[in-house]
C-alpha cells in the first residue's frame, strides 16, 4: 500500500483557509442575519469539516472505498441531524398532559 505525501504548502494553504473560515464564522455572528445565523454557521462548519476530512485525514488521496465510506458517513450524519432538528421543532405540536 502506497501513501501519498502531501506537501507542506498544501497543509499551510488548508490551514489558512480554515483560519479564514474561522474569521468568517466569528464575523457572521456579529452580522444582523436574523434567523439565518444557524444556516450560515452550519454551512461554514461543513466546509471546514470537509477540508479537514479531505486533507488532514488524507481521504482526498485515498481509495474509492474510503471515499464511499466517508460520503456515507456524512449522509448518515446529515440524516441524524435532520431528525434531531425535526424532533426539536415539533416538540410543541402535540398537547401531551404532564409534559
Amino acid at each position: 500500500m502506497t501513501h501519498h505525501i502531501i506537501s507542506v504548502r498544501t497543509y499551510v494553504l488548508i490551514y489558512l483557509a480554515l483560519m479564514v473560515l474561522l474569521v468568517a464564522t466569528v464575523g457572521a455572528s456579529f452580522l444582523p442575519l436574523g434567523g439565518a445565523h444557524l444556516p450560515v454557521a452550519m454551512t461554514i462548519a461543513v466546509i471546514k469539516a470537509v477540508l479537514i476530512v479531505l486533507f488532514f485525514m488524507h481521504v482526498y488521496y485515498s481509495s474509492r472505498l474510503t471515499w464511499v465510506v466517508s460520503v456515507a458517513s456524512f449522509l448518515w450524519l446529515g440524516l441524524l441531524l435532520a431528525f434531531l432538528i425535526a424532533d426539536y421543532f415539533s416538540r410543541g405540536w402535540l398537547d401531551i398532559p404532564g409534559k
Side-chain angles (χ1 to χ4, degrees):
M1 183 171 175
T2 62
H3 294 282
H4 187 271
I5 298 173
I6 301 174
S7 69
V8 174
R9 182 178 183 269
T10 302
Y11 281 127
V12 170
L13 288 175
I14 297 300
Y15 174 76
L16 291 175
L18 289 172
M19 290 299 109
V20 168
L21 290 170
L22 173 68
V23 171
T25 302
V26 173
S29 70
F30 289 108
L31 293 176
L33 298 175
H37 277 285
L38 181 63
V40 168
M42 290 300 291
T43 301
I44 295 171
V46 167
I47 292 169
K48 288 190 285 189
V50 167
L51 285 174
I52 290 170
V53 167
L54 287 179
F55 292 99
F56 289 114
M57 296 175 73
H58 302 267
V59 171
Y60 186 74
Y61 300 104
S62 297
S63 67
R64 294 291 173 209
L65 180 61
T66 305
W67 273 87
V68 169
V69 170
S70 299
V71 170
S73 300
F74 266 104
L75 289 176
W76 185 248
L77 178 65
L79 269 174
L80 290 175
L81 288 175
F83 285 129
L84 174 77
I85 290 171
D87 179 50
Y88 179 76
F89 285 114
S90 65
R91 289 191 176 198
W93 292 358
L94 298 177
D95 189 25
I96 299 174
K99 182 179 173 188

